[in-house]
Amino acid sequence: MKQQRDQYEHAIAVLTGHPASTFSVPVRPLNATPIPVPLGVAFDLLERRPDVATAERHMAYENAEVGSPRPRFIPS
């Protein structure tokens, strides 16, 4: 956990243009409560992601290929 925090702290230092050895983020507890998300919103947002849509099309293509005979396996 400490190593991961150090890596994030060094990444923030690089992004802000500070030397990692002199940069420090104070440790404080996170007291934030998550924003309530209405049902269905997360799913709708997930459907619009290009990588998810591409994976869905690829899966549909592969499923369609399962039952179709391939000519190269049929002897000529």
Side-chain angles (χ1 to χ4, degrees), residues 27-76:
V27 178
R28 292 184 294 173
L30 181 62
N31 295 327
T33 55
I35 300 170
V37 179
L39 291 175
V41 170
F43 178 74
D44 293 338
L45 292 175
L46 191 62
E47 268 188 330
R48 285 191 265 165
R49 283 182 39 186
D51 59 328
V52 173
T54 302
E56 185 179 15
R57 284 191 300 272
H58 181 70
M59 184 180 64
Y61 170 77
E62 291 294 328
N63 282 339
E65 288 291 308
V66 168
S68 67
R70 296 191 178 173
R72 64 177 179 225
F73 293 125
I74 300 172
S76 55

